[in-house]
Amino acid sequence: MKTWAIVLIIVAVVIIGLMILLYFLGKKAQKKQAEQQEMLDAHKQTCSMLIIDKKRMKLRDAGLPQMVIDQTPKAFRGSKVPVVKAKIGPQIMTLICDEKIFDSVPVKKEVKAEVSGIYIVGVKGLHGKSSAPQETKKKGWFKRAVEAAQEKAGAKPLK
């Protein structure tokens, strides 16, 4: 056998081994995440709160209790997390928000939120209204020019 064929076989075996390893690690991570989600759902409570401020900031700069920072793996302490500062009753608290709902959390509004510990799982507007901010995407100059040309030609504008 030629040396390039041997090298090719070794590389193929290593790549297949890595793919198998990643498959099992991914399955293990999925199972762990499902358990954590189940625990969050079991412990969530609904409470009314006034959202004061929200932003993405580093975990150690967020003003969270030291116990929370100590329990976080060292690799993630410098990463940015969605943080919400809210007034719950007479207390002002710093909470971590779920990444999926962070954009729909309204600022300077009172909302009913589903909270599990210091983690906001879900947000609804007060009295059941959805208060997700409606953001209109700005059109670029090319789209505006195409629409203007279509209007002049009498064609139906594209969306």
Side-chain angles (χ1 to χ4, degrees):
M1 262 184 144
K2 302 213 179 215
T3 57
W4 62 269
I6 294 172
V7 170
L8 191 63
I9 290 171
I10 291 173
V11 169
V13 168
V14 168
I15 289 175
I16 290 172
L18 284 174
M19 290 179 76
I20 291 170
L21 178 72
L22 286 175
Y23 172 76
F24 285 112
L25 287 177
K27 255 188 129 118
K28 186 177 176 183
Q30 262 185 338
K31 193 182 294 182
K32 193 174 183 181
Q33 196 234 357
E35 289 172 5
Q36 288 174 347
Q37 189 64 39
E38 190 177 297
M39 191 183 306
L40 279 176
D41 290 340
H43 290 91
K44 69 181 174 185
Q45 301 173 348
T46 303
C47 65
S48 180
M49 63 175 66
L50 174 69
I51 307 294
I52 297 171
D53 190 22
K54 70 173 188 174
K55 60 177 105 172
R56 285 183 173 80
M57 55 191 333
K58 292 188 178 183
L59 194 64
R60 61 178 177 253
D61 299 334
L64 294 167
Q66 187 63 37
M67 190 173 78
V68 173
I69 295 171
D70 291 341
Q71 289 177 352
T72 307
K74 291 188 180 188
F76 297 113
R77 289 184 190 168
S79 64
K80 290 191 174 186
V81 292
V83 176
V84 173
K85 192 168 273 198
K87 183 174 183 184
I88 304 172
Q91 238 178 349
I92 294 178
M93 296 181 67
T94 303
L95 304 166
I96 299 174
C97 187
D98 192 2
E99 190 69 47
K100 295 177 228 167
I101 63 158
F102 183 69
D103 293 330
S104 66
V105 175
V107 180
K108 308 256 193 274
K109 296 239 170 141
E110 192 167 342
V111 295
K112 287 217 183 252
E114 294 175 342
V115 180
S116 179
I118 62 163
Y119 195 70
I120 299 176
V121 181
V123 173
K124 294 180 193 159
L126 201 59
H127 308 297
K129 292 184 284 186
S130 175
S131 59
Q134 299 294 328
E135 293 183 21
T136 55
K137 197 170 182 183
K138 225 176 166 184
K139 292 182 184 175
W141 66 270
F142 185 74
K143 274 202 173 189
R144 284 195 310 257
V146 167
E147 285 180 1
Q150 286 176 344
E151 284 177 14
K152 285 183 181 179
K156 193 175 184 181
L158 295 174
K159 291 189 179 183

